[in-house]
Amino acid sequence: MATIEQKGMYKVFPRSGKNVSFTHYCPGCGHGIINKLIAEACAELGLQDRTIFVDPVGCGVFTYYYWDAAHISAAHGRASAAATGACRARPDAVTIAYQGDGDLGAIGFNNAFQAASRGEKFGCIFVNNSLYGMTGGQMAPTTLDGETTTTTPFGRDPALTGHPLHVCEVFAQLKAPVYIARVSVADTRRIMQAKQAIRKVFELQRDGKGYALLEILAPCPTNFKMNAIDAAAFCINEMEKEFPLGVFRDEAKESLAVRPVPRAASCHDLFLEKDAVPAAETDSSFAERRFKFAGYGGQGILSLGLTVAEAARIERRHTLWFPSYGPEQRGGSANCSVVVSGQPIGSPTVEHPDVLVCMNQPAYERFVGDVKKGGVVIVDETVPVKVQPPEGVKLVVWPAIRMAEEFGVPKAANTMMLAALKKFDCTGLSGESLEKALVASFKKKPALGEKNRELLRLAESGKSVK
Ligand SMILES: Cc1ncc(C[n+]2csc(CCOP(=O)(O)OP(=O)(O)O)c2C)c(N)n1
Ligand code: SF4
């Protein structure tokens, strides 16, 4: 790339401890041309302050040194997954994933395909140079039949490795994408067309239209083992035979921004119908709490977590419930994470809970060390407490299983745990909401709901404990 300043790019690139003004790409590499076109399109459309680039692992890895905008570096093959997070967290941003054909077509195919199928609101610029450039020119899913690479030294043999993967054609089977096209940067005319297509990807994202995929055929002279002119000719004469240029989908003319998104009227996991409670509201005075509920499958640990999440929903808190199952149907380990917050929640995972509820020994030993200082651990009294919680964490040993048996309802041990959460005020939610959520959890058996409410109150008062 020329050393003159380019639109949309930093003036110098602080790479490898030096401030240089040339990129790391080999002479004649398609990435260099594409990088320049992307930077120009972004700057010309005035989108630099709104753009989040998701960078790949591959020869395109260093784009964060070049494009003057926000960047996320994704793990190999995960740019579309990271872009999904970025565009959901920042719907106002223009999110662009940049991926190679090894990155997107091989290790990352499924997450890219699923993101396209969901119609995530980002643009994916997919650089197809028919092989793994960065690692020395191995075969990629896009390698042409008969093409020589370091792992197909006698040419790709379809009998052994199948035929090239046509990413645009496969993605064009999906309903959600609004734009799918293939262009090339092998000569000036093609570069001008590629520039228009790149601009279009940015415009679609600027206007919130939906998922766009732009495949760009690009020469890799180094691994083609050709000079720049022959490498470009290979793109035109060989790659285009297999990967014809063209537009496979262009629905952007219809106003896709307002395409209705079908939504389920209710969710079987919710105790209360979706519209039975108003949407969450933001309340920065409510301190976020993170919970982990763990035990054996069948102990009702997942419904206990869901009950707390539902109680939070009743109080219009933001909440997430995230189950994790062992491989067994019953009797294996099960746990769930619940987050209750006054603000929209970024991640459903709970690594350091404020409150840990354990119904068995493996769960206790696995999670007790993770509890935050100032937090609480409630553990069933059947669990031998061989390990103490970290300093500053309160331990409550609670006879949930015994109380449930004494009441003649052994399955209600999870309700007994809810009684402890209520009694020790661990949730930040009102007792009324917790009870309402508990009753709602038995919506198909209302008599059991009332019975559990009664048991909850008895357990909380400690009346059954001998
Ligand atoms: C999980 C993981 N697997 C493998 C690698 C090694 N690796 C780095 S880049 C790459 C392929 C790059 O090829 P491509 O995506 O086509 O990009 P190009 O370099 O050709 O632009 C591979 C396999 C890695 N970094 N991480
Ligand atoms: S190895 Fe190929 S893809 Fe990588 S920088 Fe060099 S020419 Fe470009």
Side-chain angles (χ1 to χ4, degrees):
M1 182 169 291
T3 54
I4 53 168
E5 189 187 332
Q6 303 291 358
K7 248 187 251 166
M9 296 186 113
Y10 291 113
K11 284 193 179 129
V12 286
F13 315 137
R15 229 180 42 237
S16 312
K18 294 179 212 134
N19 279 338
V20 293
S21 52
F22 50 89
T23 67
H24 69 291
Y25 299 118
C26 310
C29 174
H31 277 296
I33 302 165
I34 298 165
N35 278 204
K36 177 172 178 286
L37 299 180
I38 289 175
E40 278 178 4
C42 182
E44 285 165 9
L45 292 165
L47 294 173
Q48 279 178 272
D49 291 341
R50 268 179 72 188
T51 298
I52 303 171
F53 286 111
V54 185
D55 309 316
V57 170
C59 280
V61 69
F62 285 154
T63 52
Y64 50 80
Y65 284 131
Y66 308 146
W67 298 329
D68 183 359
H71 286 260
I72 297 171
S73 271
H76 188 37
R78 295 298 176 268
S80 287
T84 296
C87 71
R88 287 185 177 204
R90 293 295 304 270
D92 53 318
V94 167
T95 303
I96 305 288
Y98 186 80
Q99 302 195 247
D101 48 320
D103 193 72
L104 186 150
I107 189 170
F109 184 79
N110 188 42
N111 78 81
F113 187 66
Q114 300 293 348
S117 178
R118 294 189 303 268
E120 299 294 345
K121 290 202 169 48
F122 70 87
C124 180
I125 294 184
F126 163 51
V127 181
N128 177 1
N129 56 17
S130 83
L131 39 68
Y132 289 9
M134 178 181 161
T135 43
Q138 296 86 352
M139 191 196 91
T142 46
T143 298
L144 306 183
D145 287 338
E147 184 178 345
T148 305
T149 68
T150 51
T151 46
T152 55
F154 306 109
R156 180 176 187 171
D157 177 358
L160 287 176
T161 55
H163 295 284
L165 177 68
H166 299 101
V167 171
C168 283
E169 287 83 343
V170 173
F171 279 39
Q173 303 306 310
L174 298 170
K175 281 188 178 170
V178 298
Y179 180 65
I180 300 176
R182 183 182 290 124
V183 293
S184 163
V185 287
D187 65 13
T188 313
R189 180 173 62 82
R190 287 171 170 78
I191 290 172
M192 299 320 288
Q193 284 165 350
K195 170 80 181 280
Q196 290 314 312
I198 289 170
R199 274 183 75 102
K200 178 152 186 157
V201 171
F202 274 92
E203 284 165 352
L204 290 171
Q205 300 317 308
R206 177 196 63 195
D207 301 340
K209 298 274 184 180
Y211 180 85
L213 173 75
L214 180 65
E215 176 172 344
I216 308 183
L217 303 185
C220 169
T222 301
N223 289 304
F224 292 175
K225 306 207 185 319
M226 295 175 189
N227 63 36
I229 294 170
D230 291 347
F234 178 81
C235 282
I236 295 171
N237 300 327
E238 305 301 331
M239 288 180 72
E240 282 184 27
K241 266 191 229 151
E242 186 69 44
F243 301 115
L245 307 186
V247 177
F248 298 83
R249 171 82 53 86
D250 187 357
E251 293 182 357
K253 284 181 219 99
E254 300 154 32
S255 185
L256 286 156
V258 291
R259 174 148 70 174
V261 181
R263 293 201 186 281
S266 66
C267 166
H268 74 279
D269 280 337
L270 298 177
F271 300 153
L272 294 156
E273 289 305 310
K274 182 171 171 284
D275 301 325
V277 284
E281 52 182 14
T282 297
D283 170 7
S284 46
S285 68
F286 183 87
E288 182 174 282
R289 284 187 202 208
R290 292 184 167 249
F291 302 79
K292 180 77 87 181
F293 299 89
Y296 291 124
Q299 283 183 315
I301 206 76
L302 302 184
S303 1
L304 175 60
L306 200 46
T307 304
V308 172
E310 286 286 55
R313 205 159 69 92
I314 290 167
E315 296 196 4
R316 305 189 67 179
R317 301 297 175 202
H318 294 271
T319 183
L320 288 176
W321 171 79
F322 189 52
S324 164
Y325 306 91
E328 310 88 340
Q329 271 286 48
R330 293 228 149 223
S333 355
N335 72 71
C336 65
S337 304
V338 172
V339 187
V340 177
S341 179
Q343 320 254 12
I345 301 161
S347 164
T349 56
V350 173
E351 282 172 17
H352 297 290
D354 299 285
V355 179
L356 172 67
V357 175
C358 292
M359 300 279 277
N360 69 8
Q361 187 178 358
Y364 177 77
E365 288 173 4
R366 180 169 165 202
F367 296 116
V368 70
D370 300 334
V371 182
K372 260 194 216 153
K373 199 171 178 184
V376 180
V377 182
I378 305 177
V379 59
D380 189 80
E381 66 168 12
T382 54
V383 173
V385 178
K386 291 185 183 159
V387 188
Q388 285 303 312
E391 213 184 306
V393 172
K394 182 174 160 185
L395 177 68
V396 176
V397 178
W398 185 249
I401 295 174
R402 175 155 61 93
M403 279 193 286
E405 281 168 359
E406 283 172 7
F407 286 136
V409 192
K411 278 190 169 172
N414 57 351
T415 299
M416 303 298 99
M417 278 298 189
L418 187 67
L421 288 166
K422 186 167 174 252
K423 181 181 173 89
F424 299 105
D425 196 17
C426 301
T427 61
L429 303 165
S430 74
E432 196 191 332
S433 306
L434 290 169
E435 287 190 13
K436 200 169 163 191
L438 176 69
V439 173
S441 74
F442 292 96
K443 66 181 169 194
K444 288 191 187 134
K445 296 177 185 162
L448 260 185
E450 282 313 319
K451 176 78 185 166
N452 271 266
R453 190 205 300 259
E454 190 190 315
L455 298 182
L456 174 94
R457 289 181 181 172
L458 279 173
E460 196 188 343
S461 67
K463 281 191 185 140
S464 84
V465 188
K466 288 177 183 165

